[in-house]
Amino acid sequence: MSPHGPTAAVTGIALASPLGGSLDATWEALLAGRTGFTETAATDGLYPGPVRALSGALADDLPDVPAFGRKRLRALSRESLLVSRVGMLAWQDAGFEPATTPDPEETAVVLGTAAGGLSGYLTVMRDGLTLGPELVSPYAGPQGSLNAAASDLSMASGAQGSILTVTAGRCSGAHALAVAADHIRTGQAQAVLVAAVDVLDPLRLARGPARAPRPFAADRAGAPPGEAAVVLVVEDSARARARGARVHAEIAGLSVLRGGVDGGSAAAPAIAAALADAGVRAGELSLVCSSAAGARDTDRAEAFAVHGAVGSGAAVYSPFGALGDCAGAVTLLQVALTARALAEGRTPPTAGLAGADPDLPALATSSAPHEPAGGPALVLTTDDDGQAAALVLR
């Protein structure tokens, strides 16, 4: 992205996943080969009948972490509470000093979510119709909107720049990151809090398979739903280094493309566009983080796209065999974990590898940690609609 202006850099990372309430906890659990699946019961009563299914439920809601010192947190939705708390940790991780803290008016918030706020909205509608509007909490209405979590993060952090929520399935986080990178490249913001969140609801639980995912396997049948909250701090790479910040990764190239009218996946052209944007040849990539989670079509599309770009020459891993399908939080989870992989020079194993599909090309996946050669990394996210996002990190 540098030929077009400043390069966006990730300087702050924080997350909560089914394997822990931090990047460190999630990373260590992935390296150890643990998975985050439990049997989860839906209790909000939005849908008729009991729902109890396998899922990647959050292991920790960060109960001991204040959200930027805010009070009345019980009024926030679960999505807003998670984003505000994780956002504070990401801001701390970015290491701003008083003299280097970005201007609040030039600090933006962009959030990606597949369904954040929907359950809250439906709950407000149900309670208003069945109990009467006078018994609905005055806080419930505002919290039942798609933009609630982004707005709460903006208020909590003091950011006074633009606020935007994007929803685009599993690529929601990628779209949010693209907006943030554009803000940095064009000078619209000095720093951007880029967030992604999706939590479990009865509908997602009811649709999930009854077993753990098997990425790229012949008998793959999808992934149980997972939930996660991730916040990144993104700023101009040169500005970050000038203030002595630790740069977790630079976003060298980024492309988000819709699927073809015939339902075909945009994975291969997204990879090609991201590599061209970064000025990187496929042979230079040291590792690929795939979003494969055991779905029939998306795993197939990613396998062929990755093999077409790098063959079997780069290590390939997916964290979603251990986390489940984390919906709109998928891409930011991949970015956070790939940044850690680049820093440590190793990748976690891919959980659930068993009985590779003979109809798919061979990839350099492993059920043990990899130690890839140094070089940039590719992040690839796809969804059932053929949409694809590719990022080159270094």
Side-chain angles (χ1 to χ4, degrees), residues 292-360:
R296 297 299 305 179
D297 293 337
T298 54
D299 280 27
R300 178 181 178 83
E302 293 205 16
F304 277 97
V306 170
H307 187 269
V310 302
S312 56
V316 179
Y317 82 104
S318 169
F320 301 107
L323 301 176
D325 188 347
C326 295
V330 165
T331 302
L332 294 199
L333 282 169
Q334 290 176 274
V335 170
L337 294 168
T338 302
R340 177 59 65 89
L342 288 172
E344 294 201 3
R346 57 178 173 167
T347 67
T350 297
L353 286 179
D357 188 342
D359 293 331
L360 300 183

Side-chain angles (χ1 to χ4, degrees), residues 10 170-171 173-174 177 232 249-256 266-267 270-272 274-275 285-292 302 305-306 310 315-320 329-342 376-382 388-394:
V10 178
R170 296 181 92 220
C171 292
L177 201 53
L232 310 178
E250 289 184 348
I251 304 170
L254 191 158
S255 175
V256 187
I271 291 175
L275 290 172
L285 296 171
S286 62
L287 65 100
V288 177
C289 181
S290 164
S291 73
E302 293 205 16
V306 170
V310 302
V316 179
Y317 82 104
S318 169
F320 301 107
V330 165
T331 302
L332 294 199
L333 282 169
Q334 290 176 274
V335 170
L337 294 168
T338 302
R340 177 59 65 89
L342 288 172
L378 175 72
V379 167
L380 176 63
T381 310
T382 62
L391 296 86
V392 176
L393 304 180
R394 61 186 175 203

Side-chain angles (χ1 to χ4, degrees), residues 13-91:
I13 298 176
L15 60 83
S17 83
L19 287 172
S22 69
L23 175 58
D24 287 344
T26 300
W27 179 256
E28 293 301 326
L30 287 171
L31 283 176
R34 296 199 294 274
T35 61
F37 300 113
T38 59
E39 192 174 67
T40 305
T43 58
D44 65 7
L46 274 177
Y47 303 91
V51 177
R52 189 174 185 87
L54 195 68
S55 75
L58 280 175
D60 187 350
D61 279 350
L62 307 181
D64 299 324
V65 178
F68 292 95
R70 300 179 71 196
K71 298 179 180 180
R72 297 198 302 181
L73 296 181
R74 285 177 294 181
L76 299 183
S77 69
R78 190 155 180 259
E79 291 95 335
S80 293
L81 181 59
L82 284 165
V83 167
S84 289
R85 284 175 164 166
V86 173
M88 188 200 70
L89 297 176
W91 194 256

